[in-house]
Amino acid sequence: MKRHKLWMFLTLVAVLALSLAGCGAPKVDWTLEVTGGSTPLSLTYADLTKMTQVDLTDVLMQKSLGEDEVDSWSGVPVAEIFEQAGVQSYSSVTAAAADGYAVEISADEMANAIVALKKNDDWITKAEPDKGPIRLVCPETPANRWVFQVQQLQVNP
């Protein structure tokens, strides 16, 4: 009888662990396109949540208007995304947002860049719906060159 209870307890723990593993990330209909590498890449929001996540803590967000902020960000390293897209080297990246805004960012400015899913431990899509669900965060450049609601990263040779 004790084995049966132990087996049931372990099964319950396993089921709870599997359920919690899928919990947390919001369900979002969003796609990030990466072009210019040897393999065009399309990543859904769900794909991004399953990739390696890194934390950038105490990043100075230099604003062109208003007060500068210091925030922490979590997301997928752009270098990992570019590796999947077959990007060997590049001079710049053109990042385009859902609203049509686009900016060219040099390779040097892209150092340590991430596609952020969280800001200060909160999902961007929930904390700042008008700026989410994802954001290109480039800590080596002023925040007016970061792109919220990023939909495309065009790698330029």
Side-chain angles (χ1 to χ4, degrees), residues 23-28 45 117-119 121-134:
C23 287
K27 294 189 185 318
V28 176
Y45 186 84
L117 303 173
K118 290 183 176 181
K119 177 182 178 184
D121 293 324
D122 292 324
W123 296 100
I124 296 171
T125 193
K126 292 180 178 179
E128 296 181 314
D130 59 325
K131 296 185 178 172
I134 63 176

Side-chain angles (χ1 to χ4, degrees), residues 10 22 26 36 49 52 68 71 111 115-116 120 133-134 138 144 146 148 156-157:
L10 292 175
T49 64
T52 301
D68 290 349
D71 293 301
V115 173
N120 299 324
I134 63 176
C138 306
N144 65 344
W146 301 5
F148 60 83
N156 305 314

